[in-house]
């Protein structure tokens, strides 16, 4: 789903050659990192011969060097245009522009450190954002009643709060007050098809730990999985039902096993606290804007070959659907 080709038009592709190169390299890093985590030979080499670079590691290093080369060039070019006051209104309101302002006002980090942090946000947003968006579109296509309810909500929100006399999306339209059902759909998609197979990985590096009668030996790596499909916690876990995130439904789960579903850690794929993804707001707005515009413009359906979620193949770096040819019918 994270396509590396921006257009079939040769001129458009030529203008975006650098972007395609960046995205292709970023996807390569994700793919090779995931593969190295899964291959026992790679683990053993890293553990006992950390100075030796395997062929897979060398390929990963090449892809990462491309990510850094292109990404850093884009970031420093942006800073130069910022200093020359050449940014357009959208760029002035961007995360990077705000990061530049904060860095210069506080000096808590150097400019180079700020750029490195922004490079990480730029890099990790390539596949995770597209994967989350893809799953949302897949669920909406498979659940036409949900899609039509969302379309009605978005149409009303744009008419009431949209820019250019109620014709364009803006931040007010995408907010929870105007588009609460949109946020419920994204939350339900995260429950049913989270971006990653594990909610959290934690290494036990200091001493043996006993938790609820189970001993976790020193040196262990613990994976905390999802409870999305556990019927003890989720009513009809295989049903895509955004309404389960309405205020009344949340209140009804209070003081029950299902209450854990509403814990902030399970709310989205960005984690919480000091280690929350620094690009989470950017990613969330991209996802909300993309889904909203597509649903407003198109009626999306799945081909006959897709009858249930079991029919959707997926990749796992991060987990993303391998899209069949969805059907798009213009709404206007």
């Amino acid at each position: 789903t994270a396509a590396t080709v921006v257009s079939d038009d040769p001129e458009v592709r030529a203008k975006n050659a650098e972007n395609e190169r960046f995205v292709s390299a970023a996807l390569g890093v994700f793919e090779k990192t995931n593969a190295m985590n899964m291959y026992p030979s790679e683990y053993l080499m890293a553990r006992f011969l950390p100075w030796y670079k395997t062929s897979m590691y060398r390929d990963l290093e090449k892809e990462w060097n491309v990510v850094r080369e292109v990404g850093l060039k884009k970031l420093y070019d942006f800073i130069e245009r910022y200093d020359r006051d050449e940014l357009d209104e959208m760029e002035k309101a961007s995360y990077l522009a705000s990061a530049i302002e904060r860095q210069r006002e506080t000096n808590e980090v150097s400019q180079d450190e700020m750029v490195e942090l922004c490079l990480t946000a730029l890099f990790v947003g390539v596949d995770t954002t597209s994967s989350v968006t893809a799953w949302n579109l897949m669920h909406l296509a498979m659940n036409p009643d949900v899609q039509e309810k969302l379309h009605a909500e978005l149409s009303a929100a744009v008419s009431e709060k949209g820019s250019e006399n109620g014709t364009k999306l803006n931040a007010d339209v995408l907010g929870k007050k105007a588009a609460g059902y949109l946020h419920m759909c994204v939350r339900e998609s995260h429950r049913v098809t989270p971006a990653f197979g594990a909610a959290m990985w934690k290494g036990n590096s200091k001493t043996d730990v006993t938790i609820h009668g189970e001993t976790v030996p020193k040196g262990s790596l613990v994976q905390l999985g999802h409870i999305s499909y556990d019927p003890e916690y989720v009513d009809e876990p295989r049903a895509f039902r955004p309404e389960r995130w309405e205020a009344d439904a949340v209140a009804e789960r209070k003081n029950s096993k299902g209450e854990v579903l509403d814990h902030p850690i399970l709310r989205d794929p960005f984690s919480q606290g000091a280690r929350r993804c620094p690009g989470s707001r950017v990613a969330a707005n991209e996802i909300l804007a993309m889904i909203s515009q597509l649903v407003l413009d198109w009626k999306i359906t799945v081909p006959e070959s897709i009858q249930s979620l079991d029919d959707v193949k997926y990749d796992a770096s991060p987990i993303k659907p391998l899209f069949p040819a969805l059907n798009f019918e213009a709404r206007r």
Side-chain angles (χ1 to χ4, degrees), residues 2 5 16 31 36 57 65 83 113 128 152-153 164 166 197 203 205 216 252 258 275 284-285 288 291 294 296 320 328:
V5 178
N16 287 275
E31 179 185 354
M36 290 182 71
Y57 180 90
N65 287 339
D83 289 335
E113 289 171 328
T128 46
E153 176 187 76
E164 298 183 22
S205 61
V216 181
E252 194 174 327
R275 292 187 177 274
N285 284 327
L288 293 172
I291 294 168
L294 287 172
L296 283 168
K320 56 182 178 290
F328 285 78

Side-chain angles (χ1 to χ4, degrees), residues 45-111:
M45 293 297 288
R47 179 77 181 271
F48 298 108
L49 297 172
W51 46 268
Y52 181 77
K53 296 181 179 181
T54 65
S55 60
M56 190 178 295
Y57 180 90
R58 290 195 298 272
D59 289 341
L60 169 64
E61 197 172 39
K62 288 178 183 176
E63 301 278 22
W64 177 242
N65 287 339
V66 172
V67 169
R68 285 187 58 78
E69 174 199 336
V70 178
L72 291 177
K73 177 180 179 296
K74 286 183 173 293
L75 292 169
Y76 282 112
D77 284 350
F78 187 98
I79 293 173
E80 290 179 7
R81 292 194 298 112
Y82 177 95
D83 289 335
R84 296 195 299 266
D85 196 25
E86 294 177 355
L87 302 183
D88 61 29
E89 290 306 310
M90 185 172 293
E91 289 173 324
K92 289 178 181 178
S94 69
Y95 177 88
L96 181 51
S98 297
I100 295 170
E101 292 170 7
R102 290 196 302 274
Q103 186 274 320
R104 294 180 178 181
E105 288 173 1
T106 66
N107 284 315
E108 292 178 347
V109 297
S110 69
Q111 177 172 284

Side-chain angles (χ1 to χ4, degrees), residues 254-275:
K254 205 76 174 173
N255 300 319
S256 72
K257 268 192 170 184
E259 182 181 13
V260 70
L261 292 172
D262 304 304
H263 192 282
I265 286 290
L266 299 181
R267 186 180 300 152
D268 56 41
F270 303 116
S271 190
Q272 296 294 328
R275 292 187 177 274

Side-chain angles (χ1 to χ4, degrees), residues 201-222:
W201 293 82
K202 183 67 177 177
N204 177 25
S205 61
K206 294 185 177 180
T207 184
D208 292 357
V209 177
T210 301
I211 303 173
H212 295 299
E214 297 290 337
T215 299
V216 181
K218 176 184 175 180
S220 299
L221 185 64
V222 179

Side-chain angles (χ1 to χ4, degrees), residues 150-198:
L150 177 59
H151 178 263
E153 176 187 76
L154 291 170
S155 297
V158 170
S159 296
E160 181 181 350
K161 298 178 177 292
S163 302
E164 298 183 22
N165 297 319
T167 60
K168 300 290 184 182
L169 287 174
N170 59 24
D172 291 334
V173 172
L174 300 178
K176 286 187 177 180
K177 286 186 177 180
Y181 196 64
L182 169 65
H183 290 261
M184 293 179 206
C185 288
V186 174
R187 176 67 183 85
E188 178 69 348
S189 178
H190 174 62
R191 180 195 69 81
V192 179
T193 47
F196 296 96

Side-chain angles (χ1 to χ4, degrees), residues 227-249:
I227 58 172
S228 303
Y229 286 96
D230 191 333
E232 285 193 45
Y233 299 92
V234 186
D235 181 38
E236 294 186 89
R238 294 185 64 81
F240 185 80
R241 202 170 69 212
E243 288 77 10
R244 70 175 83 240
W245 306 108
E246 290 177 343
D248 290 345

